[in-house]
Amino acid sequence: MKFRPLFLSLLVLVFVWSVASQESGFTYNGFQGVSLTLEGISQITPNGLLMLTNQSRQQQGHAFYPFPLQFKNPSDGNVVSFSTTFVFAIISQYPDLSGHGIAFVISPSRGLPGALPSQYLGLFGESTVGRSTNHCFAVELDTIQSKEFFDIDNNHVGIDINDLKSFRSAPASYSMDHSGGRWQNLSLISGKQMQVWVEYNGLNTQINVTLAPFNVPKPDISLLSVSYNLSEIMLDTMYVGFSSSTGSVLTSHYVLGWSFELNGPAKALTLSQLPKLPRVGPKQQSKILTIGLPIIVPVSVSIAVLGIIFIVRRKRKFAELVEDWELDYGPHRFKFKDLYIATNGFRDTELLGIGGFGRVYRGILPSSRIEVAVKRVSHDSRQGMKEFVAEIVSIGRMRQRNLVRLLGYCRRKGELLLVYDFMPNGSLDKFLFNQPMCTLNWSQRFRIIKGVASGLLYLHEEWEQTVVHRDIKSSNVLLDSEMNGRLGDFGLAKLYDHGTDPQTTHVVGTVGYLAPELIRTRKATPCSDVFAFGAFMLEVACGRRPIEPQGSAEDLILVDWVFSCWSKGAILETVDPNLGSTTGYVVEEMDLVLKLGLLCSHTLPSARPTMRQVVRFLAGDAPLPDLSSPLGLGVSGLLGEGFDDFATSYPFPLDKTFTQSSIAESLLSTGR
Ligand SMILES: *[C@@H]1O[C@H](CO)[C@@H](O)[C@H](O)[C@H]1NC(C)=O
Ligand SMILES: *[C@@H]1O[C@H](CO)[C@@H](O)[C@H](O)[C@H]1NC(C)=O
Ligand SMILES: *[C@@H]1O[C@H](CO)[C@@H](O)[C@H](O)[C@H]1NC(C)=O
Ligand SMILES: *[C@@H]1O[C@H](CO)[C@@H](O)[C@H](O)[C@H]1NC(C)=O
């Protein structure tokens, strides 16, 4: 009789206790039998590791505590204090390269809809990153430097609020020193276990993030200590969990143990109970010895045979072509194997683009971890290769802020690989023609024009020998992280220009940028570069290609159209409509660029300015000559003449870029 109420109250107590414990926190020393909401490729291994990503590329994994947590105090709507700690490890295919990282995340839902792998860490997508509607708080352990998110380095801890541009971040390190002086660096991708603590004080809105090696007690000094009022971004109830992603390097991200608490410090993890990480490296040898000799001998013979086959194949796979004359160029020469590793075996996922001369891949050099662009150019003859490589090596010594730096090269049978600085913003033509991806404003465009002009001046006059670019166009202008224009691909056209028989000599370049005399004489000069630069300037100002296949007869050729508008006194009608009305640009600058574009496009090479003059005009150091003077553009009929000439004297095929171009054909057949 008496124990009935006692039993009931015990039951109530147990119930209350279980609800309370569910709501206020949990502690997992390993995840065996733990029910988490898993998404993507995350899984719990049989021995209880939470494996967010396994050894696979471009994947993401999420794991959430399945129940919502009441983060806001119902009485005042403020986020209460919370605290969490977890042990993680990142095991990568390579000792010095990994991708991309782990984040502890507090999110409105038990998943992260629309999230992307690699640099997005599985947290956000292209269209959601940075949105206040994300209501998302995360602490990232990021192992790749993503320029687009202003990452400080490739080994940092960051506090992310709705965004991957961290609110605050610091290189992964810890300090046991109370004076805060001695910070010890930690490598997130070392494969070693490490512990993280994340604490939030709801009263003074302080967030602390602390990192330490495994088995080291929590340091007194936090790596990150910032004030941010999370009441402004969090909802009443939220879910807690982890997100992780891989890029192009095979990486496994593990969480070994996790504890979380609302309104109090997270319970300490029992480190000795955490599951063991899988072994890395070769398996133990001792077992083999216990198996009898009769088995070992044939096995080792076949292993040796397989090994030899493997080595031979590998040799062939990574074979390079080196000749005696190249030995002086040692420092400029890259190993094919390194480029192969850097670009993940030239995978399509690393493909940046396909240009006139070959495919371009993004890569990370294995030793230095420098981000590079690798261009694979196929060539069928060795003709001119020696001179060409000599020129490349000489170009490799150029240092000018408006030229894409050539770091070196590698040669294989039938193939040349060129290694350039990586340009995070890609090529200019995307910004001009792939509307409405991103329109450049006028001051950006004007700066790019001036930059390219000074890069070209350097090639023509300031370098130890005159270098003719031969293929100036917007797709060969690349944008660095600060949106400076940099000229790429210089000198490359020459490789295709070493024919000796005049009947088969190829005119290299792109229709619309080719100076008329080039077609006649087949000799590229600084003057023909200026012609192409003129077409380029008009392209940037008008937001149109030099030849518009869809255009009507009178605006088919950009320079003719600008010329006719200029002669009607309405040159500003040609301005790119994406720049908006006259408020979108500086009229004087625009006027200058359009007129200078016309001047550079003059049919007579001698009437074109030099690049030095162009730079002075653009800087406003010299006035533009009067276009209607005899040396100006008074001879408009000449603009088309070169093409007629070309059509009658040189039947096809002249060059691939020409014959493939129906534009050129229609241009010629209409007898422009
Ligand atoms: C990784 O996980 C995915 C999904 O669980 C699976 O399809 C894939 O085979 C795994 N890869 C490796 C290398 O374990
Ligand atoms: C620690 O890492 C930072 C940033 O990567 C670096 O500047 C510093 O020199 C490193 N310190 C030591 C002692 O290695
Ligand atoms: C965060 O760190 C600061 C200074 O290191 C310390 O005074 C404060 O108590 C810490 N706050 C929490 C919530 O741990
Ligand atoms: C945090 O923000 C909430 C809501 O905006 C506000 O009510 C609260 O006073 C703020 N807390 C602090 C400490 O500023």
Side-chain angles (χ1 to χ4, degrees):
M1 278 296 187
K2 266 206 180 150
F3 74 58
R4 222 189 139 110
L6 181 69
F7 175 75
L8 254 180
S9 55
L10 251 179
L11 205 71
V12 166
L13 203 75
V14 165
F15 177 69
V16 166
W17 176 79
S18 77
V19 165
S21 81
Q22 194 181 74
E23 283 201 334
S24 74
F26 50 84
T27 303
Y28 301 135
N29 292 302
F31 297 90
Q32 214 155 25
V34 172
S35 143
L36 294 178
T37 305
L38 301 175
E39 214 179 54
I41 60 166
S42 65
Q43 59 192 79
I44 293 174
T45 64
N47 73 333
L49 289 165
L50 170 55
M51 179 161 77
L52 291 164
T53 71
N54 58 10
Q55 297 265 325
S56 46
R57 293 188 170 89
Q58 305 285 353
Q59 297 290 334
Q60 52 182 324
H62 301 143
F64 280 89
Y65 179 69
F67 307 105
L69 296 168
Q70 180 72 36
F71 268 91
K72 281 194 176 166
N73 186 340
S75 61
D76 62 4
N78 278 338
V79 168
V80 298
S81 298
F82 64 86
S83 150
T84 188
T85 181
F86 58 93
V87 172
F88 73 95
I90 300 178
I91 298 181
S92 164
Q93 175 189 17
Y94 304 117
D96 55 356
L97 189 58
S98 179
H100 259 264
I102 302 182
F104 164 75
V105 56
I106 306 182
S107 151
S109 66
R110 246 176 307 206
L112 294 155
L116 293 172
S118 57
Q119 72 268 36
Y120 291 94
L121 292 175
L123 286 173
F124 305 112
E126 242 170 316
S127 58
T128 56
V129 66
R131 292 266 175 87
S132 61
T133 47
N134 290 335
H135 301 292
C136 210
F137 166 83
V139 173
E140 61 169 41
L141 306 163
D142 194 344
T143 66
I144 298 269
Q145 183 169 22
S146 307
K147 295 264 163 61
E148 62 180 303
F149 301 128
F150 305 110
D151 282 352
I152 50 166
D153 62 13
N154 54 18
N155 184 48
H156 62 271
V157 181
I159 295 177
D160 294 351
I161 288 163
N162 291 331
D163 202 344
L164 286 158
K165 289 178 195 124
S166 297
F167 175 69
R168 193 70 56 82
S169 58
S173 52
Y174 74 107
S175 168
M176 301 303 285
D177 186 347
H178 284 266
S179 66
R182 279 204 305 276
W183 285 86
Q184 317 251 5
N185 285 345
L186 288 171
S187 166
L188 296 173
I189 64 167
S190 61
K192 297 196 181 116
Q193 305 159 61
M194 279 171 242
Q195 190 163 2
V196 175
W197 293 262
V198 179
E199 293 147 308
Y200 178 69
N201 181 335
L203 295 177
N204 62 7
T205 70
Q206 186 161 41
I207 306 168
N208 287 358
V209 179
T210 316
L211 178 69
F214 191 63
N215 259 327
V216 166
K218 182 180 169 230
D220 295 328
I221 304 161
S222 300
L223 177 58
L224 293 167
S225 185
V226 301
S227 175
Y228 194 101
N229 190 344
L230 292 180
S231 310
E232 286 157 12
I233 65 144
M234 283 206 201
L235 306 180
D236 279 2
T237 60
M238 304 281 283
Y239 293 85
V240 291
F242 296 95
S243 173
S244 178
S245 72
T246 56
S248 7
V249 179
L250 301 177
T251 309
S252 300
H253 294 97
Y254 294 100
V255 178
L256 294 86
W258 178 27
S259 151
F260 181 92
E261 200 69 36
L262 280 176
N263 282 314
K267 297 205 177 54
L269 294 169
T270 315
L271 300 185
S272 60
Q273 283 178 14
L274 300 185
K276 294 276 168 297
L277 284 171
R279 225 173 198 300
V280 259
K283 288 239 162 66
Q284 256 177 324
Q285 302 288 307
S286 65
K287 262 190 188 162
I288 292 174
L289 291 176
T290 63
I291 308 170
L293 208 66
I295 297 176
I296 291 178
V297 173
V299 164
S300 50
V301 165
S302 39
I303 287 176
V305 169
L306 284 177
I308 289 169
I309 292 175
F310 176 76
I311 289 169
V312 168
R313 279 216 181 149
R314 201 175 154 84
K315 261 229 150 101
R316 199 175 301 157
K317 186 169 165 187
F318 295 135
E320 297 176 15
L321 211 61
V322 186
E323 289 175 74
D324 288 348
W325 53 264
E326 283 181 78
L327 297 177
D328 294 343
Y329 302 147
H332 297 280
R333 193 150 171 143
F334 281 82
K335 280 209 173 63
F336 181 71
K337 191 176 155 196
D338 287 346
L339 299 182
Y340 188 89
I341 293 173
T343 57
N344 276 306
F346 297 98
R347 260 175 198 257
D348 284 348
T349 50
E350 307 299 320
L351 189 65
L352 291 171
I354 303 174
F357 299 109
R359 291 166 166 253
V360 189
Y361 296 84
R362 192 188 86 106
I364 296 171
L365 293 177
S367 50
S368 55
R369 304 180 73 169
I370 292 174
E371 218 170 359
V372 293
V374 182
K375 184 162 217 161
R376 283 187 103 160
V377 183
S378 61
H379 64 86
D380 26 55
S381 76
R382 277 184 31 210
Q383 219 171 27
M385 186 44 79
K386 193 170 166 179
E387 294 77 15
F388 182 70
V389 169
E391 187 165 309
I392 295 223
V393 169
S394 126
I395 283 172
R397 287 186 287 121
M398 288 184 184
R399 294 286 179 272
Q400 207 275 351
R401 59 192 301 265
N402 296 106
L403 299 177
V404 177
R405 197 151 63 109
L406 180 68
L407 302 173
Y409 76 103
C410 174
R411 223 151 63 80
R412 307 186 80 206
K413 199 160 176 276
E415 189 176 39
L416 179 71
L417 294 102
L418 299 171
V419 184
Y420 294 97
D421 263 347
F422 177 71
M423 292 289 123
N425 284 314
S427 61
L428 173 63
D429 59 330
K430 280 189 313 198
F431 287 86
L432 292 177
F433 306 119
N434 287 12
Q435 297 299 346
M437 184 182 96
C438 171
T439 310
L440 295 172
N441 64 32
W442 175 245
S443 79
Q444 285 170 317
R445 292 191 201 201
F446 193 49
R447 199 154 62 99
I448 291 168
I449 289 175
K450 288 196 284 194
V452 173
S454 67
L456 196 52
L457 170 62
Y458 182 84
L459 290 181
H460 285 178
E461 297 184 26
E462 291 172 355
W463 177 239
E464 36 194 70
Q465 78 223 40
T466 301
V467 176
V468 178
H469 186 287
R470 292 160 188 255
D471 202 9
I472 292 159
K473 54 181 172 182
S474 60
S475 56
N476 273 343
V477 170
L478 297 154
L479 300 176
D480 66 16
S481 53
E482 279 123 40
M483 299 302 268
N484 291 306
R486 290 174 176 235
L487 207 42
D489 261 4
F490 37 96
L492 204 48
K494 203 167 180 182
L495 180 62
Y496 284 76
D497 207 11
H498 274 291
T500 42
D501 176 4
Q503 289 308 307
T504 59
T505 301
H506 294 177
V507 176
V508 175
T510 307
V511 173
Y513 302 87
L514 286 176
E517 80 278 5
L518 185 60
I519 293 158
R520 233 178 286 126
T521 64
R522 296 155 185 220
K523 193 165 168 357
T525 60
C527 286
S528 56
D529 269 359
V530 171
F531 183 93
F533 182 74
F536 164 77
M537 273 196 288
L538 295 181
E539 191 177 5
V540 177
C542 307
R544 290 179 40 154
R545 297 183 191 278
I547 294 183
E548 198 74 61
Q550 267 84 44
S552 62
E554 79 258 16
D555 59 7
L556 173 72
I557 297 178
L558 179 58
V559 59
D560 281 5
W561 179 56
V562 177
F563 179 79
S564 72
C565 290
W566 169 78
S567 40
K568 284 186 289 187
I571 198 167
L572 293 179
E573 272 178 21
T574 62
V575 171
D576 185 353
N578 287 310
L579 285 173
S581 60
T582 47
T583 53
Y585 54 89
V586 180
V587 174
E588 295 75 31
E589 288 173 359
M590 181 63 85
D591 195 59
L592 170 69
V593 165
L594 289 169
K595 285 181 181 160
L596 188 54
L598 287 179
L599 195 59
C600 292
S601 304
H602 202 292
T603 328
L604 287 176
S606 58
R608 293 172 209 150
T610 63
M611 281 318 293
R612 186 168 297 283
Q613 288 172 314
V614 168
V615 167
R616 297 192 63 205
F617 294 144
L618 286 172
D621 292 344
L624 206 58
D626 184 6
L627 294 194
S628 44
S629 77
L631 263 192
L633 290 170
V635 275
S636 83
L638 279 177
L639 283 171
E641 198 202 60
F643 289 108
D644 286 349
D645 202 36
F646 162 51
T648 49
S649 40
Y650 298 107
F652 288 117
L654 262 178
D655 169 61
K656 263 197 236 140
T657 33
F658 258 95
T659 49
Q660 281 170 1
S661 170
S662 57
I663 307 167
E665 265 177 40
S666 68
L667 181 74
L668 295 165
S669 61
T670 57
R672 275 273 335 129

